Amino acid sequence: MGRENADEAERRKQLQVVDTELAKQAETDWRLMYERVLNRIYGKEHHEAFDFLREAAELAIAKGEARYLLDKIEGDKNSALWKLSHGHDDSWHPIIEALEHNNSSLLKESHGGKHH
């Protein structure tokens, strides 16, 4: 059990290093924010993943690239991101709908996955 805890601590440390680098660059690029989403999912921090996905959607919509992000999400249907969507409809659907309609005001309906 001690080895598992050490492995988990090392994994979290590595994810934090990657996330810190992405955070510096992600403020204006939805692609990097999307990478932060995946980083959070693999780090098992699902609530933050929805927050980052919402931010990525806002950036993509603002840059006129909502379709690209939506295509990326739909292309990742077998990923942990898609699995995360199950059971979190109130967070997931507004994000997808905002991207489909290129309308960031729809993101306000998303609750950010702050429940479980």
Side-chain angles (χ1 to χ4, degrees), residues 36-83:
R36 291 186 83 195
V37 169
L38 299 178
N39 193 10
R40 285 297 192 252
I41 292 170
Y42 297 126
K44 300 182 179 170
E45 298 168 3
H46 298 162
H47 302 306
E48 286 184 347
F50 276 112
D51 293 338
F52 290 146
L53 184 56
R54 194 176 313 88
E55 287 181 48
E58 286 177 15
L59 288 169
I61 290 168
K63 291 184 175 248
E65 298 177 350
R67 184 81 242 167
Y68 295 116
L69 177 54
L70 189 58
D71 289 347
K72 178 86 172 137
I73 291 169
E74 290 176 349
D76 288 342
K77 283 189 177 185
N78 293 322
S79 74
L81 174 64
W82 198 259
K83 292 173 187 167

Side-chain angles (χ1 to χ4, degrees), residues 71-115:
D71 289 347
K72 178 86 172 137
I73 291 169
E74 290 176 349
D76 288 342
K77 283 189 177 185
N78 293 322
S79 74
L81 174 64
W82 198 259
K83 292 173 187 167
L84 174 67
S85 71
H86 297 289
H88 293 90
D89 290 347
D90 60 334
S91 297
W92 181 257
H93 288 297
I95 293 169
I96 299 303
E97 188 173 330
L99 291 169
E100 288 174 341
H101 296 286
N102 202 33
N103 183 347
S104 62
S105 69
L106 297 173
L107 294 169
K108 305 215 182 329
E109 298 174 21
S110 176
H111 297 291
K114 301 217 185 288
H115 71 287

